Amino acid sequence: MQYLAVYLIVMNVIAFIIYGADKAKARRGLWRVSERTLLTLAALGGALGAQLGMSVFRHKTKHRKFTVCVPLFIVLWGALLAVLIVRLR
C-alpha cells in the first residue's frame, strides 16, 4: 500500500507540472503536450494533480472531455482505493 501511495503522489505531481507546462507552451505558441497524454496522466493516477492543474492554470477547463473525464478518474481512483483499504483490513 505504501508503494501505491508513493506512486499516486508522484503521478499527481507530474500531472500538475505537465498541465502547467502545457499551458505555458500554449501561451507562447510552442509545441504542445497532446490531449491524449494529458488524459492518460489523469487516468493512470494523476487525476487530482490534473484537476488542480486545470484549476490553477485555467487549462482545458472549456474542453468537455477534460471536465468530464478528469473528475470521473478521481471518482474511479477513490473507489479503487476504498476497495483496497477495506480488503486490506
Side-chain angles (χ1 to χ4, degrees):
M1 192 67 163
Q2 292 170 336
Y3 292 117
L4 180 58
V6 170
Y7 169 78
L8 290 174
I9 290 168
V10 169
M11 286 302 296
N12 281 286
V13 169
I14 290 170
F16 180 79
I17 290 168
I18 297 296
Y19 273 68
D22 189 50
K23 178 64 176 197
K25 289 179 178 188
R27 286 183 174 160
R28 289 183 268 151
L30 300 175
W31 169 87
R32 304 280 305 280
V33 177
S34 72
E35 289 187 349
R36 174 181 270 168
T37 298
L38 294 173
L39 287 172
T40 299
L41 285 169
L44 292 177
L48 285 173
Q51 184 68 52
L52 187 59
M54 287 171 62
S55 297
V56 169
F57 304 115
R58 295 185 188 150
H59 191 47
K60 299 294 185 187
T61 57
K62 294 182 180 179
H63 291 78
R64 188 165 184 87
K65 64 179 146 185
F66 284 88
T67 60
V68 171
C69 290
V70 172
L72 177 63
F73 294 144
I74 292 171
V75 170
L76 292 174
W77 273 98
L80 175 64
L81 290 174
V83 167
L84 287 173
I85 289 169
V86 167
R87 292 200 179 222
L88 291 176
R89 286 188 180 209

